[in-house]
Amino acid sequence: GDTFFNQNGRVYTIARSAIRPIAVIMSTSRGSYYHNFCDQASLTLPLGIICSILLVLVWSRTRRQYHSPRNMLQRALSCRQLRLHYQPIIDIKNNRCVGAEALLRWPGFDGPVMNPAEFIPLAENEGMIAQVTDYVVDELFYEMGEFLASHPQLYVAINLSASDFHSARLISQISEKAHSYAVCIGQIKIEVTERGFIDVAKTTPVIQAFREAGYEIAIDDFGTGYSSLSYLQKLDVDTLKIDKSFVDTLEYRPLTPHIIEMAKALNLATVAEGVETESQRDWLRQHGVQYAQGWLYSKALPKEQFILWAENNLHVH
Ligand code: C2E
Ligand code: MG
Ligand code: MG
């Protein structure tokens, strides 16, 4: 083995040969020893620091990419982690369940469920909405196809985003699914949201094509967008869903009765969204709104619970 020691201001190293009985002693002044040491350290230390920083940067970038909302949504879709819940839609006059709206949920791993109001805009901005919509259509028929086929009086409404109306691709896709599950086209409603800006000229032909293929069209969140009236004039729609903000403040929103009157004049069915109290329900009933959806009746439920709920509310109470 080697021996290393200091003596009288000098540094010594003794190296013994393993096979022959000889040893070499090297000695240098402590000054030049440390000078040499510093020379080497001044080269290797910065190099080491730079390499470490680079490693940390690459690691944190990879980690950030892995945890980016886009990639998390992509993985949630591939692992089929997103779930559909179904919120009953009720005939206000007799409390009968007439159908449901399919609402997407993103259950957290251990945290809370992520709201579609957060991840749908993300999917829209990241160009992933077509993928999300395909997923919803698949999941909907997989979960509800049989139930719908055996309950032809019920319908399910699905929410489509503006860009879903940029091509007619979905029409044949949904129709094929409906056919293979023996579900009537009339049992699938298409909700077109009024929120934000919709390119009316671009979406109108596809919405019209859905209509011609036999789908019912509902304008969602009516009253919150920019295109309300032009839409209604141009489109052959069936239903207006009055946005929750109008239902929340029935007493202070002088517009709500006019929306209802207009819907009646145009021969459109009305669904009040987000009905939470009995007094809201009574007001809506008195003003001739036909259908309601809200926590007063039920929140959106997982498939099994919804089916139980619907079977208990198929008949007039
Ligand atoms: P929306 O289509 O207007 O759906 C109604 C929203 O109101 C749902 O929120 C529902 O849970 C909530 N709601 C219903 N009743 C009540 C109530 O009594 N009180 C309150 N406070 N809220 C009530 P959710 O599920 O968070 O969905 C938010 C929006 O995300 C939906 O609004 C819809 O525009 C969009 N969305 C949901 N699922 C999908 C989907 O599969 N595809 C697309 N493109 N959009 C979706
Ligand atoms: Mg909706
Ligand atoms: Mg709505």
Side-chain angles (χ1 to χ4, degrees):
D2 295 357
T3 313
F4 178 88
F5 59 91
N6 285 296
Q7 206 171 36
N8 303 330
R10 292 186 73 81
V11 180
Y12 294 89
T13 303
I14 305 174
R16 294 181 186 81
S17 160
I19 36 178
R20 297 193 192 283
I22 48 170
V24 180
I25 302 174
M26 281 160 290
S27 152
T28 172
S29 79
R30 200 183 271 183
S32 84
Y33 174 80
Y34 284 110
H35 184 73
N36 212 327
F37 179 80
C38 286
D39 263 7
Q40 282 186 13
S42 69
L43 185 71
T44 50
L45 218 63
L47 212 72
I49 290 172
I50 289 169
C51 286
S52 313
I53 290 174
L54 275 177
L55 263 171
V56 168
L57 279 179
V58 168
W59 173 78
S60 77
R61 218 191 107 136
T62 316
R63 207 183 117 89
R64 207 161 353 114
Q65 245 172 28
Y66 187 81
H67 290 283
S68 76
R70 188 200 154 82
N71 285 336
M72 283 178 50
L73 181 57
Q74 189 67 60
R75 280 196 303 278
L77 282 168
S78 339
C79 304
R80 304 199 79 79
Q81 274 165 354
L82 303 189
R83 303 250 51 96
L84 277 182
H85 283 192
Y86 304 90
Q87 187 175 34
I89 299 172
I90 282 87
D91 184 329
I92 288 192
K93 284 197 302 294
N94 53 29
N95 292 327
R96 212 165 41 89
C97 177
V98 294
E101 174 174 9
L103 294 162
L104 205 48
R105 297 286 176 268
W106 185 354
F109 303 102
D110 40 29
V113 171
M114 203 200 276
N115 199 307
E118 290 171 47
F119 69 81
I120 292 293
L122 167 79
E124 286 171 347
N125 295 335
E126 297 281 350
M128 292 169 73
I129 202 69
Q131 222 182 323
V132 171
T133 303
D134 287 354
Y135 182 93
V136 168
V137 170
D138 267 12
E139 223 25 47
L140 174 73
F141 281 98
Y142 177 73
E143 289 199 327
M144 298 292 283
E146 246 174 71
F147 179 73
L148 284 173
S150 62
H151 294 78
Q153 74 275 40
L154 297 181
Y155 71 83
V156 173
I158 59 175
N159 292 283
L160 298 190
S161 292
S163 65
D164 286 322
F165 295 104
H166 290 179
S167 91
R169 173 189 73 96
L170 270 173
I171 302 177
S172 53
Q173 192 177 325
I174 299 175
S175 299
E176 265 165 42
K177 281 272 182 190
H179 184 76
S180 71
Y181 280 91
V183 171
C184 298
I185 297 297
Q187 287 179 271
I188 306 296
K189 257 195 201 192
I190 304 296
E191 294 197 2
V192 186
T193 184
E194 253 266 302
R195 242 176 305 114
F197 175 77
I198 292 184
D199 187 343
V200 180
K202 207 165 178 184
T203 54
T204 304
V206 179
I207 294 175
Q208 221 48 275
F210 264 110
R211 193 72 199 83
E212 278 151 26
Y215 293 91
E216 292 205 348
I217 309 287
I219 304 285
D220 202 357
D221 310 318
F222 187 78
T224 60
Y226 301 110
S227 47
S228 313
L229 292 175
S230 56
Y231 242 102
L232 289 186
Q233 277 173 354
K234 289 196 185 106
L235 284 176
D236 171 23
V237 304
D238 306 275
T239 306
L240 284 195
K241 296 192 79 172
I242 302 168
D243 190 66
K244 182 176 185 308
S245 59
F246 290 91
V247 175
D248 276 344
T249 53
L250 286 173
E251 295 85 7
Y252 334 105
R253 285 271 201 155
L255 247 180
T256 316
H258 297 291
I259 293 180
I260 298 167
E261 285 312 314
M262 186 185 63
K264 280 186 201 156
L266 291 169
N267 230 340
L268 301 176
T270 39
V271 180
E273 297 192 86
V275 179
E276 289 181 350
T277 67
E278 288 178 2
S279 69
Q280 287 171 347
R281 179 202 57 199
D282 294 342
W283 189 99
L284 294 161
R285 192 188 273 157
Q286 276 160 24
H287 287 77
V289 172
Q290 293 135 299
Y291 304 102
Q293 178 183 351
W295 296 351
L296 173 64
Y297 300 97
S298 171
K299 294 197 171 184
L301 303 169
K303 171 203 160 189
E304 292 82 11
Q305 278 165 264
F306 168 74
I307 288 179
L308 277 178
W309 198 98
E311 278 173 342
N312 282 324
N313 292 276
L314 282 178
H315 305 292
V316 175
H317 287 299

